[in-house]
Amino acid sequence: MSTASKSSSSGCGRYLLSTVIAALGVVAIVGSGGGGGEIESMWVPHIDPPPYVTMSPSRLTVEQGGTAVFTASAGRTLSPPTYQWRRDGATIAGATSATYTLVGANLGDDGAQFSVEVTASNGTATSTGLLQVSRLPGVVYEDSDFPLSNWTVAATADPAQNGPSQTVSRASSGGNPGAHRSITYEMPAGVGSITVFHTAASATYEPAVQGPVYGIDVQLDCSEIGGVGGAAELAARAMIEQAGRRFATDYRLICVWGWEHYSVVSQRAEEFKLVDGLACGTSETCPDFSASGAPIRLGFLTRARHGSSASPAGTNSQGIDNWKVTVWRK
Amino acid sequence: MTGLPAVPRAQCANGPAAARLFRWGSPAIPVASGTFALALGVLVYAADRNASSTTLIPALAWIAAGPLFGAFGQWLPSFVHPFAFSLFTAAAHPSTTSPPYWACVAWWVVNVAFEVAQLSGTNLRIATGIQDVFGQTWLTRPLTNYVLRGTFDVGDLMAATAGALAAASVLHIVHRLGVRDEHC
């Protein structure tokens, strides 16, 4: 055997030996039990992470006489889960499926707290939701055709100088289905972002005239529809404007290829956070959903972001379709 | 070689009594030190710990008449792990230029990571992540048990640090004496 091949085989053996030592070391650490409580056997699970359950929606507003539907999504259950629904802590007889439906909600149901308890072999989990009942029908604003004249656009870019830019247009096809609103972002290389505020010109709710707002539902569909060069993160969120300020919900949808549905329901004033405009004063209700509040203009915001300094320059396009807002009144 | 003190021949221990297997600088010394330490660590589990607190080592009733290690037994395994496995890894990578201190650093990092994984809150997220990604297997069950049932202890972190430093010291001494022997 030559010197070179000897050296190569001993190096290989050394790394094999190191791998075996590393494996034994980790086994020794894990096998030691970590200095904790009882572990009966290596082969038997002792604590399984408990199941979880999410009630959807967590707050729901329906018109008086309408139907309220809550759905429970359980996960990490190690046996078929069982469901039990409760209202204000009291068990609802027969409500043992993953969905609970209340037909003919009345004003007495307003403010009722519903909860669902999911039980599986590895534990139980509970999730709660609130029902709001409005005496008036919701005021609905919607657009799925997106003529450019229906919308106004404003944008803020970071960095402001030589930063990202955007172009908004209407595409007559390729939506979900049919026409949709298309936003194309020119993203320079490196870290940067651009937020585009889309406000429907005729979708203005006037609390002083139409009544105080109980909650706002917002739905839209979003998709990434094209891109060249660097991939930006594209997102969409519910947005409202009031008294020169813009507010958006925390929840956002990251838009990827293929149309996805965005929905937030019964959003209260405190769930809309200031994203553009003067900071709110300490004594100011901001936004103000009461009868003395200024007119509320409705819309949505879209955003493109490069999170890495290594992101190359590129163009990304985002589509929005089936925008619908329901304003619930007290 | 520059930088090494001149060693009088009389001080060299490289005579016939120093068996070639155990000459300074040979991997046998780290391996023997590590094995001895590991045996002590095993004894902690065999003698002082409840059988149900470990997955690998059953308690030996005949030896468990009383605690052999006292309070030290609480942290000794955390000292032994990085100490022994640093020395084993170093023995697998003998070097004539400088001791493989990186082995001590690597095992210190591994031991600290496993200890931190037992932090309350972090442990559930890790266990859940393991279970969600890999499911329940013979490999993941002990791991989730370890992070969920193990106890995070700053004393263990200190013991692991001491173990890694002790291993580095052993490597340093063995290397220095090995270099001296080369010159005898």
Side-chain angles (χ1 to χ4, degrees):
Chain A
M1 193 186 284
S2 71
T3 311
S5 63
K6 266 183 191 170
S7 156
S8 161
S9 66
S10 77
C12 185
R14 193 179 301 159
Y15 285 107
L16 185 64
L17 183 59
S18 297
T19 307
V20 171
I21 292 169
L24 286 174
V26 170
V27 167
I29 294 171
V30 174
S32 72
E38 292 197 356
I39 294 172
E40 290 166 11
S41 154
M42 188 168 180
W43 316 108
V44 180
H46 300 279
I47 293 182
D48 292 308
Y52 64 81
V53 60
T54 308
M55 190 194 295
S56 176
S58 58
R59 189 166 54 242
L60 173 65
T61 308
V62 297
E63 184 188 351
Q64 181 177 201
T67 300
V69 180
F70 288 105
T71 304
S73 301
R76 218 161 50 218
T77 51
L78 299 185
S79 63
T82 60
Y83 301 86
Q84 179 60 63
W85 290 85
R86 295 192 173 87
R87 175 180 173 151
D88 296 327
T91 299
I92 304 170
T96 54
S97 70
T99 302
Y100 176 68
T101 305
L102 176 66
V103 180
N106 58 54
L107 291 176
D109 298 318
D110 186 31
Q113 186 96 35
F114 289 87
S115 64
V116 61
E117 184 180 89
V118 168
T119 303
S121 61
N122 53 323
T124 62
T126 304
S127 181
T128 59
L130 179 71
L131 176 62
Q132 298 181 152
V133 181
S134 171
R135 66 179 71 246
L136 300 165
V139 181
V140 176
Y141 306 87
E142 56 189 322
D143 194 349
S144 56
D145 191 49
F146 295 98
L148 287 175
S149 58
N150 274 11
W151 292 83
T152 58
V153 172
T156 58
D158 179 22
Q161 296 279 323
N162 302 317
S165 61
Q166 52 78 31
T167 313
V168 177
S169 61
R170 175 184 180 273
S172 56
S173 62
N176 190 31
H180 67 279
R181 190 168 176 81
S182 170
I183 308 104
T184 300
Y185 306 96
E186 293 290 339
M187 303 295 292
V191 175
S193 67
I194 182 167
T195 303
V196 185
F197 305 100
H198 308 256
T199 310
S202 58
T204 302
Y205 182 86
E206 299 197 37
V209 178
Q210 295 170 280
V213 177
Y214 207 179
I216 296 177
D217 299 352
V218 181
Q219 297 175 55
L220 55 82
D221 294 338
C222 181
S223 174
E224 181 178 350
I225 54 174
V228 178
E233 179 190 274
L234 306 175
R237 290 155 78 182
M239 192 272 297
I240 61 172
E241 279 185 34
Q242 188 179 47
R245 297 184 178 110
R246 296 186 175 97
F247 305 88
T249 54
D250 281 337
Y251 175 67
R252 61 183 180 152
L253 176 68
I254 303 295
C255 309
V256 293
W257 287 95
W259 290 96
E260 290 207 46
H261 188 61
Y262 171 91
S263 174
V264 289
V265 297
S266 301
Q267 297 293 290
R268 293 172 169 174
E270 58 267 28
E271 283 156 323
F272 284 94
K273 307 286 167 44
L274 182 71
V275 290
D276 187 49
L278 292 174
C280 301
T282 49
S283 59
E284 206 175 357
T285 306
C286 196
D288 187 356
F289 279 10
S290 72
S292 57
I296 300 166
R297 300 182 68 200
L298 301 156
F300 60 91
L301 72 76
T302 56
R303 186 167 190 251
R305 185 176 78 98
H306 269 171
S308 163
S309 55
S311 299
T315 302
N316 294 89
S317 294
Q318 179 181 19
I320 298 289
D321 203 357
N322 302 319
W323 173 79
K324 180 181 179 182
V325 173
T326 304
V327 179
W328 293 101
R329 300 169 285 174
K330 281 190 178 171
Chain B
M1 191 181 289
T2 57
L4 282 170
V7 180
R9 284 215 169 256
Q11 289 181 24
C12 291
N14 210 15
R20 286 186 65 79
L21 183 64
F22 282 102
R23 73 182 190 277
W24 295 113
S26 138
I29 290 170
V31 168
S33 308
T35 306
F36 175 73
L38 210 53
L40 273 183
V42 170
L43 204 55
V44 171
Y45 285 98
D48 287 10
R49 297 266 173 111
N50 188 323
S52 61
S53 72
T54 174
T55 54
L56 284 181
I57 309 161
L60 304 176
W62 56 269
I63 210 172
L68 283 182
F69 297 93
F72 286 109
Q74 198 176 342
W75 298 293
L76 191 59
S78 297
F79 174 90
V80 163
H81 282 141
F83 178 78
F85 285 97
S86 297
L87 293 180
F88 293 154
T89 305
H93 292 267
S95 165
T96 51
T97 51
S98 66
Y101 295 123
W102 56 264
C104 309
V105 176
W107 279 107
W108 178 80
V109 168
V110 168
N111 277 267
V112 166
F114 271 89
E115 192 64 29
V116 170
Q118 296 177 335
L119 264 174
S120 177
T122 307
N123 59 352
L124 187 58
R125 277 201 292 277
I126 291 172
T128 304
I130 291 169
Q131 188 140 323
D132 287 350
V133 174
F134 301 106
Q136 283 196 53
T137 68
W138 62 271
L139 208 57
T140 58
R141 281 172 186 162
L143 202 54
T144 51
N145 274 331
Y146 175 88
V147 297
L148 289 172
R149 282 296 181 96
T151 310
F152 173 77
D153 184 357
V154 176
D156 284 335
L157 293 180
M158 292 167 67
T161 305
L165 287 174
S169 304
V170 170
L171 292 178
H172 180 75
I173 292 166
V174 168
H175 181 75
R176 285 301 299 264
L177 294 175
V179 170
R180 194 194 67 174
D181 278 1
E182 291 287 321
H183 287 75
C184 285

